[in-house]
Amino acid sequence: MFERLEAIKARNDFITKELTKPEVISDVAKTTKLSKEQADLSEIIDCYNEYLKAKSDYEEAKELANDPELGDLARQEEENELAKQKELEKKLEILLLPKDPNDGKNIIVEIRGAAGGDEANIFAGDLYSMYVKYAENQGFMVENLGSTPGASGGYSEISFMVKGKNVYSKLKYESGAHRVQRVPATESQGRVHTSTATVLVMPEVDDVDFDLDMNDVRIDITRASGNGGQGVNTTDSAVRLTHIPTGIVVYSQTERSQIKNKEKGLKILKSRIYDLKMREQEKEIGAERRSKIGTGDRSEKIRTYNYPQNRVTDHRIGYTTNSLDRVMNGKLDDIIEALITEDQRRKLAGE
């Protein structure tokens, strides 16, 4: 591990020198690439420097341990610095784990009402509100990409983008079937009903990651329909994109401009195709998929929201919290932290 850390430290020093050279500074693309690499290394470098200082302080305290006047104080310092070293070693092990290349990306999220009719659509709306509030708490930005309202509220489906630092690393565990247990507003007997909504989280795709051949895409221009504000139904601005090889269809109508709808639709289409390709690759390697927290498939039940008991349970890691009201208000930090910690534990254990 320490050989690797020294190599990372040397690489960081090399980048620092490179970024002072006039020929590198004048090359915007190279400067951007090196700066990004250095930013990615910064947390490891900071932690390693902290470890080296703790090690140095430990050695100094050890030398003074037999001093008649400073011995007691030095032995206490020796103990503290040794404990700090061990703690930092564990942190470094986690920081050196292979990173998901998509972790730093923005995301596209699709939520759909599933089993439960109107109540499922209402719950899909509640999940959308939960993620929007979480994003606001984190300082992320949310952009609506399109929605189909439910007849009694909520959405039969809604797509949106979340932009910010390392968004995918936080929300990638949210894909799957979310189950709600509560008494619907329409239930006269006060019986608890169970409904589900599905969530799919996909990384935003750059052209570098995936080059979409437009010859494989059929574009149809249609008249927008449903809710969307004044004028949305009066122009042929909606765009339907069909990826012929996979059969994936995306419909975009949130903008009045046909060009903007096409841009949004292509973003979603690229992310869907990229997500499909990732799943196919993970199926081929099999074992790696099993080591992850869940499969990310819409059909996999990942979490239950029980309103009568004010309880949320994540079934993948056996995590339960009796603070459903806080969770639905966007306080997802504890659940997400528990999922990240368990994922890291599994990777460290080589599961």
Coordinates of all heavy atoms in Angstrom, one line a residue, residues 208-289:
V208 N -17.2 11.5 -24.8 CA -16.0 10.7 -24.6 C -16.3 9.3 -24.1 O -15.7 8.4 -24.5 CB -15.0 11.4 -23.5 CG1 -13.8 10.6 -23.3 CG2 -14.7 12.8 -23.9
D209 N -17.4 9.2 -23.3 CA -17.7 7.9 -22.7 C -18.5 7.1 -23.8 O -18.3 5.8 -23.9 CB -18.7 8.1 -21.6 CG -18.1 8.9 -20.4 OD1 -16.9 8.7 -20.1 OD2 -18.8 9.8 -19.9
F210 N -19.3 7.7 -24.6 CA -20.1 7.0 -25.5 C -20.5 7.8 -26.7 O -21.0 8.9 -26.6 CB -21.4 6.6 -24.7 CG -22.4 5.9 -25.6 CD1 -22.2 4.7 -26.1 CD2 -23.7 6.5 -25.8 CE1 -23.2 4.1 -26.9 CE2 -24.6 5.9 -26.6 CZ -24.4 4.7 -27.1
D211 N -20.2 7.3 -27.9 CA -20.4 8.0 -29.1 C -21.7 7.4 -29.8 O -21.7 6.3 -30.2 CB -19.2 7.9 -30.0 CG -19.4 8.8 -31.3 OD1 -20.2 9.7 -31.2 OD2 -18.7 8.5 -32.3
L212 N -22.8 8.2 -29.8 CA -24.0 7.7 -30.3 C -24.0 7.9 -31.8 O -23.9 9.0 -32.3 CB -25.2 8.4 -29.7 CG -26.6 8.1 -30.2 CD1 -26.9 6.6 -29.9 CD2 -27.6 9.0 -29.5
D213 N -24.2 6.8 -32.6 CA -24.3 6.9 -34.0 C -25.8 7.4 -34.4 O -26.7 6.6 -34.2 CB -24.1 5.5 -34.7 CG -24.0 5.6 -36.2 OD1 -24.4 6.6 -36.8 OD2 -23.6 4.6 -36.8
M214 N -25.9 8.6 -34.9 CA -27.2 9.2 -35.2 C -27.9 8.4 -36.3 O -29.1 8.6 -36.5 CB -27.1 10.7 -35.5 CG -26.7 11.5 -34.3 SD -27.8 11.3 -32.9 CE -29.3 12.0 -33.5
N215 N -27.2 7.6 -37.1 CA -27.8 6.8 -38.1 C -28.7 5.7 -37.5 O -29.5 5.2 -38.2 CB -26.7 6.2 -39.0 CG -26.0 7.2 -39.9 OD1 -26.6 8.1 -40.4 ND2 -24.7 7.0 -40.0
D216 N -28.4 5.4 -36.2 CA -29.2 4.4 -35.5 C -30.4 5.0 -34.8 O -31.2 4.3 -34.1 CB -28.3 3.7 -34.4 CG -27.3 2.8 -35.1 OD1 -27.5 2.4 -36.2 OD2 -26.2 2.6 -34.4
V217 N -30.6 6.3 -34.9 CA -31.7 7.0 -34.2 C -32.7 7.5 -35.2 O -32.4 8.3 -36.1 CB -31.1 8.2 -33.4 CG1 -32.3 8.9 -32.6 CG2 -30.1 7.7 -32.4
R218 N -34.0 7.1 -34.9 CA -35.1 7.7 -35.7 C -35.7 8.9 -34.9 O -36.0 8.7 -33.8 CB -36.2 6.6 -36.0 CG -37.2 7.2 -37.0 CD -38.2 6.1 -37.4 NE -39.2 5.8 -36.3 CZ -39.3 4.6 -35.8 NH1 -38.5 3.6 -36.2 NH2 -40.1 4.4 -34.8
I219 N -35.9 10.0 -35.6 CA -36.4 11.2 -34.9 C -37.8 11.5 -35.5 O -37.9 11.7 -36.7 CB -35.5 12.4 -35.1 CG1 -34.1 12.1 -34.5 CG2 -36.1 13.6 -34.4 CD1 -33.0 13.1 -34.8
D220 N -38.8 11.5 -34.6 CA -40.2 11.9 -35.1 C -40.6 13.2 -34.3 O -40.4 13.3 -33.1 CB -41.1 10.8 -34.7 CG -40.8 9.5 -35.4 OD1 -40.7 9.5 -36.7 OD2 -40.7 8.4 -34.8
I221 N -41.1 14.1 -35.1 CA -41.6 15.4 -34.5 C -43.1 15.3 -34.3 O -43.8 14.9 -35.3 CB -41.3 16.6 -35.4 CG1 -39.8 16.6 -35.8 CG2 -41.7 17.9 -34.8 CD1 -38.8 16.6 -34.6
T222 N -43.6 15.5 -33.1 CA -45.1 15.4 -32.9 C -45.6 16.6 -32.1 O -44.8 17.5 -31.7 CB -45.4 14.2 -32.0 OG1 -44.7 14.3 -30.7 CG2 -44.8 12.9 -32.7
R223 N -46.9 16.7 -32.0 CA -47.4 17.8 -31.2 C -47.4 17.5 -29.7 O -47.8 16.4 -29.4 CB -48.9 18.1 -31.7 CG -49.6 19.3 -31.0 CD -50.6 19.9 -31.9 NE -50.0 20.6 -33.0 CZ -50.6 21.4 -33.9 NH1 -51.9 21.6 -33.7 NH2 -50.0 21.9 -34.9
A224 N -47.0 18.4 -28.9 CA -46.9 18.1 -27.5 C -48.3 17.9 -26.9 O -49.3 18.5 -27.4 CB -46.2 19.3 -26.8
S225 N -48.4 17.1 -25.9 CA -49.7 16.8 -25.2 C -49.6 16.9 -23.7 O -48.5 16.8 -23.2 CB -50.2 15.4 -25.7 OG -49.2 14.5 -25.2
G226 N -50.7 17.0 -23.1 CA -50.7 17.0 -21.6 C -50.4 18.4 -21.0 O -50.3 19.4 -21.7
N227 N -50.1 18.4 -19.7 CA -49.8 19.6 -19.0 C -48.4 20.1 -19.4 O -47.5 19.4 -19.6 CB -49.9 19.5 -17.5 CG -51.2 19.1 -17.0 OD1 -52.2 19.4 -17.6 ND2 -51.3 18.3 -15.9
G228 N -48.3 21.4 -19.6 CA -47.0 21.9 -19.9 C -47.0 23.4 -20.0 O -46.0 24.0 -20.5
G229 N -48.1 24.1 -19.7 CA -48.1 25.5 -19.7 C -48.8 26.0 -21.0 O -49.1 25.3 -21.9
Q230 N -49.0 27.3 -21.1 CA -49.6 27.9 -22.3 C -48.8 27.6 -23.5 O -47.6 27.7 -23.5 CB -49.7 29.4 -22.1 CG -50.9 29.8 -21.1 CD -51.0 31.3 -21.2 OE1 -50.1 32.0 -21.4 NE2 -52.2 31.7 -20.9
G231 N -49.5 27.3 -24.6 CA -48.8 27.1 -25.9 C -48.2 25.8 -26.1 O -47.8 25.5 -27.2
V232 N -48.1 24.9 -25.0 CA -47.4 23.7 -25.2 C -48.1 22.7 -26.2 O -47.5 21.9 -26.9 CB -47.2 22.9 -23.9 CG1 -48.5 22.3 -23.4 CG2 -46.1 21.9 -24.0
N233 N -49.4 22.9 -26.4 CA -50.1 22.0 -27.3 C -50.3 22.6 -28.7 O -51.0 22.0 -29.5 CB -51.5 21.7 -26.7 CG -51.4 21.0 -25.4 OD1 -50.5 20.2 -25.2 ND2 -52.3 21.2 -24.5
T234 N -49.8 23.8 -28.9 CA -50.2 24.4 -30.2 C -49.0 24.4 -31.2 O -49.2 24.9 -32.3 CB -50.5 25.9 -29.9 OG1 -49.4 26.6 -29.3 CG2 -51.7 26.0 -29.0
T235 N -47.9 23.8 -30.8 CA -46.8 23.7 -31.8 C -46.2 22.3 -31.9 O -46.3 21.5 -30.9 CB -45.6 24.6 -31.3 OG1 -45.2 24.2 -30.0 CG2 -46.0 26.1 -31.3
D236 N -45.7 22.0 -33.0 CA -45.1 20.7 -33.3 C -43.7 20.7 -32.8 O -42.7 20.7 -33.5 CB -45.1 20.3 -34.8 CG -46.6 20.1 -35.3 OD1 -47.4 19.6 -34.5 OD2 -46.8 20.5 -36.4
S237 N -43.5 20.8 -31.4 CA -42.2 20.9 -30.8 C -41.7 19.6 -30.1 O -40.6 19.5 -29.7 CB -42.2 22.1 -29.8 OG -43.2 21.8 -28.8
A238 N -42.6 18.7 -29.8 CA -42.3 17.5 -29.1 C -41.4 16.6 -30.0 O -41.6 16.5 -31.2 CB -43.5 16.8 -28.6
V239 N -40.5 15.9 -29.4 CA -39.6 15.0 -30.2 C -39.6 13.6 -29.6 O -39.5 13.4 -28.4 CB -38.1 15.6 -30.1 CG1 -37.2 14.7 -30.8 CG2 -38.1 17.0 -30.7
R240 N -39.8 12.6 -30.5 CA -39.7 11.2 -30.0 C -38.5 10.6 -30.7 O -38.3 10.6 -31.9 CB -40.9 10.4 -30.4 CG -40.9 9.0 -29.9 CD -42.2 8.2 -30.1 NE -42.5 8.1 -31.5 CZ -43.6 8.6 -32.0 NH1 -44.5 9.4 -31.3 NH2 -43.9 8.5 -33.3
L241 N -37.5 10.1 -29.9 CA -36.3 9.5 -30.4 C -36.3 8.0 -30.2 O -36.6 7.5 -29.1 CB -35.1 10.1 -29.6 CG -34.9 11.6 -29.7 CD1 -33.9 12.1 -28.7 CD2 -34.5 12.1 -31.1
T242 N -36.1 7.2 -31.2 CA -36.1 5.8 -31.1 C -34.7 5.3 -31.5 O -34.2 5.6 -32.6 CB -37.1 5.2 -32.1 OG1 -38.4 5.7 -31.8 CG2 -37.2 3.7 -31.9
H243 N -34.1 4.6 -30.6 CA -32.8 3.9 -30.9 C -33.1 2.6 -31.5 O -33.5 1.6 -30.8 CB -31.9 3.8 -29.6 CG -30.5 3.3 -29.9 ND1 -30.0 2.1 -29.5 CD2 -29.5 3.9 -30.6 CE1 -28.8 2.0 -29.8 NE2 -28.4 3.0 -30.5
I244 N -32.9 2.4 -32.8 CA -33.3 1.2 -33.5 C -32.7 0.0 -33.1 O -33.4 -1.0 -32.8 CB -33.1 1.5 -35.1 CG1 -34.0 2.6 -35.5 CG2 -33.5 0.2 -35.9 CD1 -33.6 3.2 -36.9
P245 N -31.3 -0.1 -32.8 CA -30.7 -1.4 -32.4 C -31.2 -1.9 -31.0 O -31.3 -3.1 -30.9 CB -29.2 -1.0 -32.2 CG -29.0 0.2 -33.1 CD -30.3 0.9 -33.0
T246 N -31.6 -1.0 -30.1 CA -32.0 -1.5 -28.8 C -33.5 -1.3 -28.6 O -34.1 -1.9 -27.6 CB -31.3 -0.7 -27.6 OG1 -31.7 0.7 -27.8 CG2 -29.8 -0.8 -27.7
G247 N -34.2 -0.5 -29.4 CA -35.6 -0.3 -29.2 C -36.0 0.7 -28.2 O -37.1 0.9 -27.8
I248 N -35.0 1.4 -27.6 CA -35.2 2.4 -26.5 C -35.9 3.6 -27.1 O -35.4 4.1 -28.2 CB -33.9 2.7 -25.8 CG1 -33.3 1.5 -25.0 CG2 -34.1 3.9 -24.9 CD1 -32.0 1.8 -24.5
V249 N -37.0 4.0 -26.5 CA -37.7 5.2 -27.0 C -37.7 6.3 -25.9 O -38.0 6.0 -24.8 CB -39.2 4.8 -27.4 CG1 -39.9 6.1 -27.8 CG2 -39.2 3.8 -28.4
V250 N -37.4 7.5 -26.3 CA -37.4 8.7 -25.4 C -38.4 9.7 -26.1 O -38.3 10.0 -27.2 CB -36.0 9.3 -25.2 CG1 -36.1 10.6 -24.5 CG2 -35.1 8.3 -24.5
Y251 N -39.2 10.3 -25.2 CA -40.2 11.3 -25.7 C -39.9 12.6 -24.9 O -39.8 12.6 -23.7 CB -41.6 10.9 -25.4 CG -42.7 11.8 -26.0 CD1 -42.9 11.9 -27.4 CD2 -43.5 12.6 -25.1 CE1 -43.8 12.7 -27.9 CE2 -44.4 13.4 -25.7 CZ -44.6 13.5 -27.0 OH -45.6 14.3 -27.5
S252 N -39.6 13.7 -25.6 CA -39.2 14.9 -24.9 C -40.1 16.1 -25.4 O -40.2 16.4 -26.6 CB -37.8 15.3 -25.2 OG -37.4 16.5 -24.6
Q253 N -40.8 16.8 -24.4 CA -41.7 17.8 -24.8 C -41.7 19.0 -23.8 O -42.6 19.9 -23.9 CB -43.1 17.3 -24.9 CG -43.7 16.8 -23.6 CD -45.2 16.6 -23.7 OE1 -45.8 16.3 -24.7 NE2 -45.9 16.7 -22.5
T254 N -40.8 19.1 -22.9 CA -40.9 20.1 -21.9 C -40.6 21.5 -22.4 O -41.0 22.5 -21.8 CB -39.9 19.8 -20.7 OG1 -38.6 19.7 -21.3 CG2 -40.2 18.6 -20.0
E255 N -39.9 21.6 -23.5 CA -39.5 22.9 -24.1 C -40.4 23.3 -25.2 O -40.9 22.4 -25.9 CB -38.0 23.0 -24.5 CG -37.0 22.6 -23.4 CD -36.9 23.7 -22.4 OE1 -37.3 24.8 -22.7 OE2 -36.3 23.3 -21.3
R256 N -40.6 24.6 -25.5 CA -41.3 25.0 -26.7 C -40.5 24.8 -28.0 O -41.0 24.7 -29.1 CB -41.8 26.4 -26.6 CG -42.8 26.6 -25.5 CD -43.4 28.0 -25.5 NE -44.3 28.2 -24.4 CZ -45.1 29.3 -24.3 NH1 -45.1 30.2 -25.2 NH2 -45.9 29.4 -23.2
S257 N -39.2 24.8 -27.8 CA -38.3 24.7 -28.9 C -38.0 23.3 -29.2 O -37.6 22.5 -28.4 CB -36.9 25.4 -28.6 OG -35.9 25.0 -29.4
Q258 N -38.2 22.9 -30.5 CA -37.9 21.6 -31.0 C -36.5 21.2 -30.8 O -36.2 20.1 -30.4 CB -38.3 21.6 -32.5 CG -38.3 20.2 -33.1 CD -38.6 20.3 -34.6 OE1 -37.8 20.0 -35.4 NE2 -39.8 20.7 -35.0
I259 N -35.6 22.2 -31.0 CA -34.1 21.9 -30.9 C -33.8 21.6 -29.4 O -33.0 20.6 -29.2 CB -33.3 23.1 -31.3 CG1 -33.5 23.4 -32.9 CG2 -31.8 23.0 -31.0 CD1 -32.9 24.7 -33.4
K260 N -34.3 22.3 -28.5 CA -34.1 22.1 -27.1 C -34.6 20.7 -26.6 O -34.0 20.0 -25.8 CB -34.6 23.2 -26.2 CG -33.8 24.5 -26.3 CD -34.3 25.6 -25.4 CE -33.5 26.8 -25.5 NZ -34.0 27.9 -24.6
N261 N -35.8 20.4 -27.1 CA -36.4 19.1 -26.8 C -35.6 18.0 -27.4 O -35.4 16.9 -26.7 CB -37.8 19.0 -27.4 CG -38.9 19.7 -26.5 OD1 -38.7 19.7 -25.3 ND2 -39.9 20.2 -27.1
K262 N -35.0 18.2 -28.5 CA -34.1 17.1 -29.1 C -32.9 17.0 -28.3 O -32.4 15.9 -28.0 CB -33.7 17.6 -30.6 CG -32.9 16.5 -31.3 CD -32.5 17.0 -32.7 CE -31.5 16.1 -33.3 NZ -31.0 16.6 -34.6
E263 N -32.3 18.1 -27.8 CA -31.1 18.1 -27.0 C -31.3 17.3 -25.7 O -30.5 16.4 -25.3 CB -30.6 19.5 -26.6 CG -29.9 20.2 -27.8 CD -29.6 21.6 -27.5 OE1 -29.9 22.1 -26.3 OE2 -29.0 22.3 -28.3
K264 N -32.5 17.6 -25.0 CA -32.8 16.9 -23.8 C -33.0 15.4 -24.0 O -32.6 14.6 -23.3 CB -34.0 17.6 -23.2 CG -33.8 18.9 -22.4 CD -35.0 19.3 -21.6 CE -34.7 20.5 -20.7 NZ -35.8 20.9 -19.9
G265 N -33.8 15.2 -25.1 CA -34.1 13.8 -25.4 C -32.8 13.0 -25.7 O -32.7 11.8 -25.3
L266 N -31.9 13.6 -26.4 CA -30.6 12.9 -26.7 C -29.8 12.6 -25.4 O -29.2 11.5 -25.3 CB -29.8 13.7 -27.7 CG -30.2 13.6 -29.2 CD1 -29.4 14.6 -30.0 CD2 -30.0 12.2 -29.7
K267 N -29.8 13.5 -24.5 CA -29.2 13.3 -23.2 C -29.7 12.0 -22.5 O -29.0 11.2 -22.0 CB -29.3 14.5 -22.3 CG -28.3 15.6 -22.4 CD -28.5 16.6 -21.3 CE -27.4 17.7 -21.5 NZ -27.5 18.8 -20.5
I268 N -31.1 12.0 -22.5 CA -31.7 10.8 -21.8 C -31.4 9.5 -22.6 O -31.1 8.5 -22.0 CB -33.2 11.0 -21.7 CG1 -33.5 12.3 -20.8 CG2 -33.9 9.8 -21.1 CD1 -35.0 12.7 -20.8
L269 N -31.5 9.6 -23.9 CA -31.3 8.4 -24.7 C -29.9 7.9 -24.6 O -29.6 6.7 -24.4 CB -31.5 8.8 -26.2 CG -31.4 7.6 -27.2 CD1 -32.5 6.5 -26.9 CD2 -31.6 8.1 -28.6
K270 N -28.9 8.8 -24.6 CA -27.5 8.4 -24.4 C -27.3 7.7 -23.0 O -26.6 6.6 -22.9 CB -26.5 9.6 -24.5 CG -26.3 10.1 -25.9 CD -25.3 11.2 -25.9 CE -24.9 11.7 -27.3 NZ -24.0 12.8 -27.2
S271 N -27.9 8.3 -22.0 CA -27.7 7.7 -20.7 C -28.4 6.3 -20.6 O -27.9 5.4 -19.9 CB -28.3 8.7 -19.6 OG -27.5 9.8 -19.5
R272 N -29.5 6.2 -21.2 CA -30.2 4.9 -21.2 C -29.4 3.8 -21.9 O -29.3 2.7 -21.4 CB -31.6 5.0 -21.8 CG -32.7 5.6 -20.9 CD -34.0 5.3 -21.5 NE -35.1 6.1 -20.8 CZ -36.3 6.1 -21.2 NH1 -36.7 5.5 -22.3 NH2 -37.2 6.8 -20.5
I273 N -28.9 4.2 -23.0 CA -28.1 3.2 -23.8 C -26.8 2.8 -23.0 O -26.4 1.7 -22.9 CB -27.7 3.7 -25.2 CG1 -29.0 3.9 -26.0 CG2 -26.8 2.8 -26.0 CD1 -28.8 4.8 -27.3
Y274 N -26.2 3.8 -22.5 CA -24.9 3.6 -21.7 C -25.2 2.7 -20.5 O -24.5 1.8 -20.2 CB -24.4 5.0 -21.2 CG -23.1 4.9 -20.5 CD1 -21.9 4.5 -21.1 CD2 -23.0 5.3 -19.1 CE1 -20.7 4.5 -20.4 CE2 -21.9 5.3 -18.4 CZ -20.7 4.9 -19.0 OH -19.5 4.9 -18.3
D275 N -26.4 3.0 -19.8 CA -26.8 2.2 -18.7 C -27.0 0.7 -19.1 O -26.6 -0.2 -18.4 CB -28.1 2.8 -18.0 CG -28.5 2.0 -16.8 OD1 -27.8 2.1 -15.8 OD2 -29.5 1.3 -16.9
L276 N -27.6 0.5 -20.2 CA -27.9 -0.8 -20.7 C -26.6 -1.5 -21.0 O -26.4 -2.7 -20.7 CB -28.7 -0.7 -22.0 CG -29.1 -2.0 -22.7 CD1 -30.0 -2.9 -21.8 CD2 -29.7 -1.8 -24.1
K277 N -25.6 -0.8 -21.6 CA -24.3 -1.4 -21.9 C -23.5 -1.8 -20.6 O -22.9 -2.8 -20.6 CB -23.5 -0.4 -22.8 CG -23.9 -0.3 -24.2 CD -23.0 0.6 -25.0 CE -23.5 0.8 -26.4 NZ -23.4 -0.5 -27.2
M278 N -23.6 -0.9 -19.6 CA -23.0 -1.2 -18.3 C -23.6 -2.5 -17.7 O -22.8 -3.3 -17.2 CB -23.2 0.0 -17.3 CG -22.3 1.1 -17.6 SD -22.1 2.2 -16.1 CE -23.8 2.6 -15.8
R279 N -24.9 -2.6 -17.8 CA -25.6 -3.8 -17.2 C -25.1 -5.1 -18.0 O -24.9 -6.1 -17.4 CB -27.1 -3.7 -17.3 CG -27.6 -2.6 -16.4 CD -29.1 -2.5 -16.5 NE -29.5 -1.2 -15.9 CZ -29.7 -1.1 -14.6 NH1 -29.5 -2.1 -13.8 NH2 -30.1 0.1 -14.1
E280 N -25.0 -5.0 -19.3 CA -24.6 -6.1 -20.1 C -23.2 -6.6 -19.7 O -22.9 -7.7 -19.6 CB -24.7 -5.8 -21.6 CG -26.1 -5.8 -22.1 CD -26.2 -5.2 -23.5 OE1 -25.2 -4.7 -24.0 OE2 -27.3 -5.3 -24.1
Q281 N -22.3 -5.5 -19.5 CA -20.9 -5.9 -19.1 C -20.8 -6.5 -17.8 O -20.1 -7.5 -17.5 CB -20.1 -4.6 -19.1 CG -19.7 -4.0 -20.5 CD -19.1 -2.7 -20.5 OE1 -18.8 -2.1 -19.4 NE2 -18.8 -2.1 -21.6
E282 N -21.7 -6.0 -16.8 CA -21.7 -6.5 -15.5 C -22.2 -7.9 -15.4 O -21.9 -8.7 -14.6 CB -22.4 -5.6 -14.5 CG -21.6 -4.3 -14.3 CD -22.4 -3.2 -13.7 OE1 -23.7 -3.3 -13.7 OE2 -21.8 -2.2 -13.2
K283 N -23.2 -8.2 -16.3 CA -23.7 -9.6 -16.4 C -22.6 -10.6 -16.8 O -22.6 -11.7 -16.3 CB -24.9 -9.6 -17.4 CG -26.2 -9.7 -16.8 CD -27.3 -9.9 -17.9 CE -28.7 -9.5 -17.3 NZ -29.7 -9.4 -18.3
E284 N -21.8 -10.1 -17.8 CA -20.7 -11.0 -18.3 C -19.7 -11.3 -17.2 O -19.2 -12.5 -17.1 CB -20.0 -10.3 -19.4 CG -20.8 -10.3 -20.7 CD -20.2 -9.4 -21.8 OE1 -19.0 -9.1 -21.7 OE2 -20.9 -9.0 -22.8
I285 N -19.4 -10.3 -16.3 CA -18.5 -10.6 -15.3 C -19.1 -11.2 -14.0 O -18.4 -11.7 -13.1 CB -17.6 -9.4 -14.9 CG1 -18.4 -8.2 -14.7 CG2 -16.5 -9.2 -15.9 CD1 -17.6 -6.9 -14.4
G286 N -20.4 -11.2 -14.0 CA -21.2 -11.9 -12.9 C -20.8 -11.6 -11.5 O -21.5 -11.0 -10.8
A287 N -19.7 -12.1 -11.1 CA -19.2 -12.0 -9.7 C -19.1 -10.6 -9.2 O -19.5 -10.3 -8.1 CB -17.9 -12.7 -9.5
E288 N -18.7 -9.7 -10.1 CA -18.5 -8.3 -9.7 C -19.9 -7.7 -9.4 O -20.0 -6.9 -8.5 CB -17.9 -7.5 -10.9 CG -18.2 -6.2 -10.6 CD -17.2 -5.1 -10.9 OE1 -16.4 -5.3 -11.6 OE2 -17.4 -4.1 -10.2
R289 N -20.9 -8.1 -10.2 CA -22.2 -7.6 -10.0 C -22.7 -8.0 -8.6 O -23.3 -7.2 -7.9 CB -23.1 -8.1 -11.1 CG -24.6 -7.8 -10.9 CD -24.9 -6.4 -10.6 NE -25.2 -5.6 -11.7 CZ -25.5 -4.3 -11.7 NH1 -25.5 -3.7 -10.5 NH2 -25.7 -3.6 -12.8

